[in-house]
Amino acid sequence: MISSVKMAKNNSETKLQSDCITWCKQNGFLAYNQHQGGFTGKGVPDILMCIHGRFVAVELKVGKGRRSPSQEIRKIQIERAGGIHITPYSFDEFTEAIRRLYDDLPH
């Protein structure tokens, strides 16, 4: 069962990333924050996940944030390769999208 624990609200993308990764770990999802080491290429999504064997990329944004041109290119590459790319703007949007994927993807 997926937890419905709410995380603290904050407008920082870093805080949002941390909250989302924590929620994933609490709910048994395989998820990685790619920016921890600072050695990733341009446009690499914030969180990489695997849900029922499907590659899921998450580019988190807050406020009026938009994907950069390099992030748009990565989104297209991921989708062309058969992966799923989402861009939630809040913790609630993230958890709702992941719950929906978990329920809807074949397993």
Side-chain angles (χ1 to χ4, degrees):
M1 172 133 183
I2 298 175
S3 168
S4 63
V5 173
K6 298 271 185 182
M7 294 292 174
K9 302 219 183 222
N10 187 316
N11 285 338
S12 150
E13 276 188 36
T14 302
K15 175 71 170 134
L16 179 57
Q17 286 178 28
S18 176
D19 288 350
C20 291
I21 289 290
T22 298
W23 182 86
C24 287
K25 288 179 182 177
Q26 289 173 344
N27 287 284
F29 288 105
L30 178 62
Y32 297 97
N33 178 335
Q34 284 303 118
H35 301 292
Q36 291 172 343
F39 296 104
T40 60
K42 279 188 146 196
V44 174
D46 298 315
I47 299 173
L48 302 179
M49 302 179 67
C50 187
I51 300 175
H52 299 312
R54 288 290 302 273
F55 179 82
V56 178
V58 181
E59 183 59 50
L60 297 165
K61 296 293 179 191
V62 295
K64 295 182 181 183
R66 299 287 178 250
R67 288 187 299 266
S68 69
S70 59
Q71 290 169 336
E72 288 291 343
I73 290 168
R74 292 287 185 186
K75 177 185 183 303
I76 291 166
Q77 291 171 332
I78 289 164
E79 291 173 342
R80 283 186 181 161
I84 297 167
H85 189 288
I86 62 173
T87 306
Y89 280 77
S90 69
F91 178 76
D92 290 339
E93 280 185 27
F94 171 80
T95 57
E96 178 60 31
I98 299 305
R99 283 187 180 107
R100 194 170 38 254
L101 288 170
Y102 181 82
D103 290 342
D104 293 349
L105 288 173
H107 52 292

